[in-house]
Amino acid sequence: MKPSRLARDAIVLRRAPFSETSQVVDLLTPDDGRLSVLARGSYRDKSTFGGPLDVLTRGVADVQRRKRSELDLLHGFKITQPWRGLRRELTTWLAASHALELVRAFAWPRDREPALFDALAGVLELLDRARERYEIEAYLTSFAGRVLAIAGFVPVLDACVRCGGDVADAKRGWLSLAQGGLLCGSCSTPDRTAIVCSDGVVRLLRRALGGAPDATPGTAWTETVVSEARRAIDLYVEYRLERPLLSRRLLDRAERSPSREPVA
Ligand SMILES: [Zn+2]
């Protein structure tokens, strides 16, 4: 039988106050998926946590699972990676928050998904060191593709999703949010959810959604292609979730008026 109390590698996805002295924290773990835990007394001066827990930190969580409650107990959290670089600028912070929102949307409670944990830890490491907007967009594009692939929501990109016609050599494609894939020119007209994508964007989407991590700096993709592909994936995610991604709106706004202000 699995012991109920174990030390787990974990990334903090979300935290909220719970009474005056405690927090409820969402953790992503490799073996138990998303866990909601109660950190009793984390706001107290002399708590065992050494202060309230913060999002976008990785650590070893001492978690006690509770069978009859959706809320497990957190007895300790030893930070192993504070990801200070993510806090340096607003854009980087919002990009990392966007990665968290994608994970929160697709990580089911208590569902084992080590690939998702590795993908999140990986993109946060990259964003922690990223300086240029291009890099940030590239990492987010690859990451969003990876999350969709893990969650099993990959759109059909190798043929027209409606008629099965050829879309391989088209100069542009129409990504239908409603039908979940690319449309050929003749099928695109009646679909109001279709986003026009250049052939570069379609090629990049194919690679990102196929798991290729190559929308990275130094590769041949232009800034525009990477940025448009990121946007297309995000719109696709929003359509599947039937709700907007708040972090995407904030990130878009910050990118239009870049600020060099540190976050905290
Ligand atoms: Zn068609």
Side-chain angles (χ1 to χ4, degrees):
M1 210 179 95
K2 242 172 137 182
S4 69
R5 188 166 164 182
L6 269 181
R8 292 169 171 83
D9 195 6
I11 297 170
V12 180
L13 299 179
R14 176 160 41 195
R15 82 274 190 261
F18 185 87
S19 79
E20 275 182 22
T21 56
S22 305
Q23 287 174 298
V24 168
V25 178
D26 275 8
L27 301 173
L28 185 72
T29 65
D31 292 331
D32 297 293
R34 204 177 84 207
L35 294 176
S36 287
V37 297
L38 176 63
R40 263 192 201 129
S42 60
Y43 281 121
R44 284 189 208 280
D45 289 343
K46 288 179 185 165
S47 84
T48 50
F49 302 99
L53 280 84
D54 199 2
V55 290
L56 295 169
T57 49
R58 178 174 181 170
V60 178
D62 177 359
V63 177
Q64 182 183 349
R65 297 289 298 274
R66 295 198 295 185
K67 278 207 179 103
R68 290 197 178 83
S69 169
E70 285 181 8
L71 211 51
D72 296 317
L73 290 180
L74 186 67
H75 293 283
F77 189 78
K78 191 171 180 298
I79 293 178
T80 54
Q81 176 51 281
W83 283 311
R84 290 195 182 88
L86 300 179
R87 290 152 170 81
R88 214 165 285 152
E89 281 179 26
L90 183 62
T91 313
T92 325
W93 172 261
L94 290 173
S97 304
H98 185 54
L100 287 194
E101 189 171 2
L102 288 174
V103 166
R104 285 201 303 264
F106 291 107
W108 316 127
R110 300 185 175 183
D111 182 24
R112 179 184 152 79
E113 194 45 270
L116 191 58
F117 182 89
D118 290 344
L120 179 62
V123 76
L124 295 180
E125 286 293 333
L126 291 169
L127 290 172
D128 189 53
R129 294 190 294 268
R131 289 291 166 269
E132 302 300 325
R133 185 186 147 181
Y134 171 80
E135 284 181 89
I136 292 172
E137 289 278 0
Y139 295 142
L140 282 181
T141 307
S142 291
F143 177 69
R146 187 94 189 87
V147 171
L148 277 181
I150 291 169
F153 286 105
V154 178
V156 175
L157 298 175
D158 53 357
C160 172
V161 67
R162 187 150 181 264
C163 73
D166 188 21
V167 289
D169 296 321
K171 282 281 161 237
R172 56 184 175 160
W174 291 265
L175 177 66
S176 164
L177 304 181
Q179 299 183 66
L182 280 183
L183 295 170
C184 68
S186 18
C187 293
S188 67
T189 323
D191 191 323
R192 289 189 184 169
T193 69
I195 313 167
V196 185
C197 300
S198 69
D199 67 329
V201 171
V202 172
R203 277 188 286 120
L204 179 50
L205 286 177
R206 281 199 187 106
R207 297 197 60 92
L209 291 158
D214 68 351
T216 46
T219 50
W221 311 104
T222 67
E223 192 169 326
T224 313
V225 164
V226 169
S227 177
E228 283 178 15
R230 202 266 294 172
R231 203 153 303 221
I233 290 188
D234 283 346
L235 290 173
Y236 188 80
V237 168
E238 289 185 340
Y239 197 90
R240 298 274 87 72
L241 295 175
E242 299 181 357
R243 64 176 169 81
L245 294 164
L246 178 65
S247 56
R248 181 183 72 80
R249 306 275 167 97
L250 295 174
L251 186 59
D252 286 351
R253 202 181 301 161
E255 282 174 348
R256 281 198 298 272
S257 51
S259 148
R260 293 266 155 192
E261 291 295 309
V263 177

